[in-house]
Amino acid sequence: MGGDFGVVVVVEAAVAFLENNQDTSLILVGDQQEILAELDRINVAPNERLKVHHASQSIEMDEAPSHALRNKRDSSMRIAVNLVKEGIAHACVSAGNTGALVATARYVLKMLTGIDRPAITSTIPSIHGQTYMLDLGANIGCSSEHLLQFAVMGVVLASAIDEIEHPKVGLLNIGEEEIKGNDQIKHANEMLQQSDLNYIGYVEGDDVYCGDVNVVVCDGFAGNVSLKSSEGVAKTISHYIQEEFRKNLFTRVCGLFAMPVLKSFRRRIDPRCYNGASLLGLRGVVVKSHGGADAYSFQHAINIARLEAVAQVPQLIDTHISKYLKHSNTS
């Protein structure tokens, strides 16, 4: 029920996803009447792989998380997260209120032992493939310990999804020199150096896209600004390229010859292909879709949830965090 387009986008995305993923079933949680009406509009009926679960409430995009927790116990978001806790669903995907989703998931699913806060992570395209970056907005202020926990979770995710044997971890900073950064960053740097992670040191903003690093760790403020900036740059580049090719007849003809390359380029930097941010550290899989996602984009968020559920990412994080804590306590 959340996001800029609500039921229309989610239903279309769900139907398309099921056509391409025969091993998956989906539960649409929300206003049953609205969902059934949208399914009927596209000539699809609920079935064994596409079920509808009614929710009498929904959380507004600008609603305070605390208010949602207290007063929206029958909201689509709350019920969806409850289904994960009860084992009826393996994962939850929502395009709704981010703050409410983080608060609800944390309250219902609880945190893994050794993890203090959930972290939002997503992949960002780079010249080496893709980079996992966290946190992207769940935690504005983070301690050094939190950053270390984020690093462990990012490594587990990169290993599980991309099958990277020893993911390279970088700590986002304003420079690569040891003297740069605030006390929190410097302390986190020391802790990461002493850990068993494949830590390569400080990285700067351009390293997210051009550096040889698999996981970039930062607080939620810096991460969210970086993510939104990259989305803006991608849209700006696309706009300027189209503008230049439309200038006159000659550039239009050139554009026709360049079309295959342009389409390939657009696919590689299209933010829709990277939609779906994972809430790591919880005792269950929860994925946040961009509020402005279209059906194509929302399918990517569903697929991320599917991949993490199959790989049992929460269980893997639990194992690695436990090993780290044991190592820390004995060292």
Side-chain angles (χ1 to χ4, degrees):
M1 306 301 293
D4 297 345
F5 310 106
V7 173
V8 175
V9 160
V10 176
V11 168
E12 183 182 343
V15 171
F17 183 83
L18 289 177
E19 290 178 355
N20 298 318
N21 295 271
Q22 299 298 319
D23 63 344
T24 307
S25 61
L26 298 177
I27 306 171
L28 300 176
V29 184
D31 187 297
Q32 185 173 2
Q33 187 174 351
E34 286 190 47
I35 296 172
L36 291 177
E38 183 60 27
L39 285 170
D40 184 62
R41 188 184 68 83
I42 58 176
N43 299 315
V44 176
N47 53 65
E48 283 300 312
R49 296 182 57 225
L50 183 63
K51 299 179 180 179
V52 178
H53 195 300
H54 180 64
S56 64
Q57 297 175 308
S58 60
I59 298 173
E60 302 301 322
M61 296 300 285
D62 59 351
E63 192 167 343
S66 57
H67 183 271
L69 273 177
R70 289 194 304 267
N71 303 294
K72 296 291 184 71
R73 297 183 180 180
D74 199 47
S75 67
S76 52
M77 184 183 291
R78 180 69 171 266
I79 291 176
V81 176
N82 283 340
L83 291 176
V84 176
K85 180 182 180 181
E86 295 163 6
I88 296 173
H90 293 95
C92 165
V93 183
S94 173
N97 184 315
T98 302
L101 182 63
V102 173
T104 300
R106 184 173 182 177
Y107 177 78
V108 174
L109 297 176
K110 310 303 181 187
M111 303 301 301
L112 292 168
T113 302
I115 303 293
D116 298 322
R117 300 180 181 181
I120 298 176
T121 184
S122 186
T123 54
I124 294 175
S126 74
I127 61 175
H128 296 287
Q130 60 183 19
T131 304
Y132 288 85
M133 192 171 184
L134 69 167
D135 176 35
L136 295 178
N139 308 281
I140 302 303
C142 300
S143 68
S144 302
E145 289 75 14
H146 294 148
L147 294 175
L148 176 60
Q149 293 168 15
F150 296 168
V152 175
M153 293 191 292
V155 163
V156 171
L157 186 62
S159 299
I161 302 302
D162 289 343
E163 299 181 349
I164 303 173
E165 192 169 347
H166 297 292
K168 297 177 182 178
V169 180
L171 181 61
L172 189 65
N173 199 1
I174 58 173
E176 297 182 357
E177 299 85 355
E178 292 286 332
I179 61 171
K180 291 191 173 181
N182 55 33
D183 291 339
Q184 160 211 346
I185 293 294
K186 291 177 180 178
H187 187 216
N189 178 57
E190 294 174 0
M191 296 179 72
L192 285 163
Q193 288 176 338
Q194 296 169 9
S195 73
D196 292 333
L197 302 174
N198 185 12
Y199 178 58
I200 63 173
Y202 293 139
V203 295
E204 297 182 69
D206 60 335
D207 291 314
V208 176
Y209 309 92
C210 304
D212 187 14
V213 60
N214 305 115
V215 178
V216 173
V217 178
C218 57
D219 63 43
F221 187 91
N224 192 266
V225 171
S226 297
L227 179 65
K228 297 297 173 60
S229 297
S230 65
E231 291 176 353
V233 169
K235 292 176 182 178
T236 302
I237 291 173
S238 178
H239 171 78
Y240 281 148
I241 289 175
Q242 291 181 42
E243 193 176 70
E244 290 299 318
F245 278 118
R246 290 172 180 167
K247 273 189 172 182
N248 52 55
L249 179 60
F250 176 73
T251 57
R252 288 175 184 270
V253 172
C254 290
L256 290 175
F257 285 104
M259 193 60 68
V261 175
L262 291 175
K263 286 183 177 180
S264 177
F265 172 72
R266 183 176 181 179
R267 283 195 299 269
R268 296 186 71 174
I269 68 168
D270 189 349
R272 298 183 307 163
C273 297
Y274 295 88
N275 181 48
S278 309
L279 272 63
L280 298 182
L282 300 165
R283 296 182 181 276
V285 176
V286 178
V287 172
K288 173 67 174 71
S289 167
H290 196 294
D294 59 13
Y296 176 80
S297 182
F298 199 85
Q299 288 183 66
H300 282 269
I302 300 174
N303 192 52
I304 286 174
R306 174 187 171 278
L307 290 173
E308 291 188 20
V310 170
Q312 298 185 313
V313 170
Q315 293 87 332
L316 289 174
I317 291 175
D318 191 31
T319 300
H320 282 73
I321 285 291
S322 299
K323 288 180 179 179
Y324 169 74
L325 291 176
K326 183 178 180 180
H327 174 77
S328 299
N329 292 331
T330 56
S331 60

